[in-house]
Amino acid sequence: MWRAGKQPMRAAAASTADATPEATPERVVRYTYLAHEERWDIDHGMLQLSETEPFARGGMRASFKAHELDDTGARTPSVLKLFHADVTALAGAAPLTDAREYFQEAMCSSVGESYSQEFNRDCARAGGVARGVAVSFVPCSVVELVDRPGRVFATLEPLLEGSFLKLNDNDGHADEDAASSSETAQAFTYYTYVRSNQLLMVCDIQGVGGAFTDPQVHSFDGEGFGAGNNGAEGFNRFLRSFAYNALCEALNLPKPHQESDEEMARRLQEHEVQTAKEDNAWTTHRYQSELQNFMRETVRLS
């Protein structure tokens, strides 16, 4: 079944409410996945919304400017993102979105960052046109706004300053006007597809410079990774429009080809072996097990 994809974030109409330093700081519980340690970190903090209206809206979520406050009172510019159905929760209404959807979003960022580190190492080794190429994903946490009625969740990440570009999406499109950056984004997305043994694909690459935010992950079976996971159809849409470029060649990535039934069967068998051995690669099975166990045992959402 085709699923609604993420749409580019667009600036919302200017709010009549300026930044509101008088807004009451509120307590949050922050859940952050540490990919290199394969565990969730939990801490407590303070958050202050800077505005009452979103400054941008995407196809799935609305973005609000906020500040994280530390013990000294220092303020870190941040972005609080809620699914559209939950925006009214900031005004006291009950949240409507399954909290797991927020954890799915944060895990997509963790998967993207895990692959970006591999990509950067391979670019450094390859040299040539790959020399100096590097990408990263801003840290994305789930926060629970504990001073509000009900269990209100959102994602929180640092505010990116600068010219924001959407370089590719989860529907196979790429920004042809940002040639160099778009080629890097396309090569990275293809890299994740190849390095995952064609089981995953990190796309919806957007951000400022080489700092990206809010990626989407497609999986070969369409399982996990939130509502934007278009599964094998997402793979196919990307590959139909993908142009193998010099960066892909420098990284020694194979050119895409139509997979035979025999090749697919062999790859899926390798996937089963990989899962049985609890390999460190990001498989759908590993991803879902990590998230389900954490939600049940720690967040206590069955």
Side-chain angles (χ1 to χ4, degrees):
M1 180 178 67
W2 181 257
R3 298 177 180 174
K6 293 183 179 178
Q7 300 298 319
M9 296 294 288
R10 64 179 186 276
S15 170
T16 56
D18 295 326
T20 54
E22 73 279 3
T24 304
E26 54 188 299
R27 296 175 301 149
V28 298
V29 178
R30 181 169 45 215
Y31 307 92
T32 305
Y33 190 73
L34 306 177
H36 61 289
E37 298 180 19
E38 298 185 27
R39 68 175 181 86
W40 286 88
D41 181 68
I42 305 173
D43 65 353
H44 298 76
M46 299 294 292
L47 181 72
Q48 186 174 36
L49 280 173
S50 302
E51 54 192 7
T52 58
E53 297 292 331
F55 72 93
R57 294 181 182 272
M60 296 172 64
R61 294 187 294 168
S63 298
F64 294 81
K65 289 183 178 179
H67 287 88
E68 287 189 83
L69 310 178
D70 67 15
D71 293 339
T72 68
R75 296 156 57 86
T76 301
S78 305
V79 179
L80 188 77
K81 296 181 180 180
L82 292 94
F83 287 98
H84 293 309
D86 288 347
V87 168
T88 55
L90 295 181
L96 300 176
T97 303
D98 188 330
R100 292 170 185 78
E101 293 297 322
Y102 290 102
F103 287 85
Q104 301 260 25
E105 294 290 332
M107 288 289 277
C108 280
S109 289
S110 294
V111 173
E113 177 59 19
S114 179
Y115 276 112
S116 76
Q117 292 175 19
E118 295 180 27
F119 177 81
N120 294 344
R121 285 194 294 268
D122 284 350
C123 283
R125 294 189 192 107
V129 298
R131 183 178 292 111
V133 174
V135 301
S136 65
F137 289 85
V138 297
C140 177
S141 301
V142 178
V143 290
E144 183 176 359
L145 309 178
V146 296
D147 291 330
R148 296 178 183 267
R151 300 196 70 180
V152 180
F153 291 87
T155 59
L156 185 71
E157 60 191 53
L159 176 66
L160 290 174
E161 300 282 2
S163 180
F164 192 95
L165 295 176
K166 191 175 183 75
L167 301 173
N168 69 28
D169 63 15
N170 66 337
D171 202 27
H173 303 112
D175 184 357
E176 297 178 355
D177 295 330
S180 177
S181 297
S182 185
E183 283 191 2
T184 299
Q186 291 291 89
F188 173 73
T189 293
Y190 185 59
Y191 175 93
T192 65
Y193 175 68
V194 172
R195 290 292 183 259
S196 69
N197 200 22
Q198 303 176 32
L199 297 175
L200 300 177
M201 178 181 284
V202 181
C203 58
D204 210 13
I205 308 301
Q206 57 195 311
V208 177
F212 300 140
T213 179
D214 201 17
Q216 178 59 55
V217 178
H218 297 318
S219 62
F220 79 99
D221 55 5
E223 296 297 324
F225 302 106
N229 179 359
N230 293 326
E233 180 61 25
F235 291 176
N236 292 335
R237 285 178 176 250
F238 172 82
L239 293 171
R240 281 198 290 267
S241 62
F242 172 67
Y244 189 88
N245 59 42
L247 183 53
C248 297
E249 185 174 4
L251 292 170
N252 200 30
L253 300 178
K255 292 186 177 180
H257 71 284
Q258 185 65 39
E259 188 175 47
S260 68
D261 291 342
E262 181 181 351
E263 289 172 324
M264 179 182 290
R266 183 168 61 249
R267 178 168 55 82
L268 295 182
Q269 184 178 34
E270 291 172 356
H271 168 60
E272 292 177 0
V273 172
Q274 182 182 45
T275 300
K277 291 181 177 179
E278 297 183 349
D279 191 275
N280 284 334
W282 282 98
T283 63
T284 303
H285 174 82
R286 175 190 169 199
Y287 166 84
Q288 293 196 97
S289 295
E290 291 263 358
L291 185 56
Q292 288 170 3
N293 291 339
F294 178 73
M295 297 296 291
R296 181 177 62 252
E297 298 171 7
T298 306
V299 187
R300 302 194 183 283
L301 289 171
S302 58

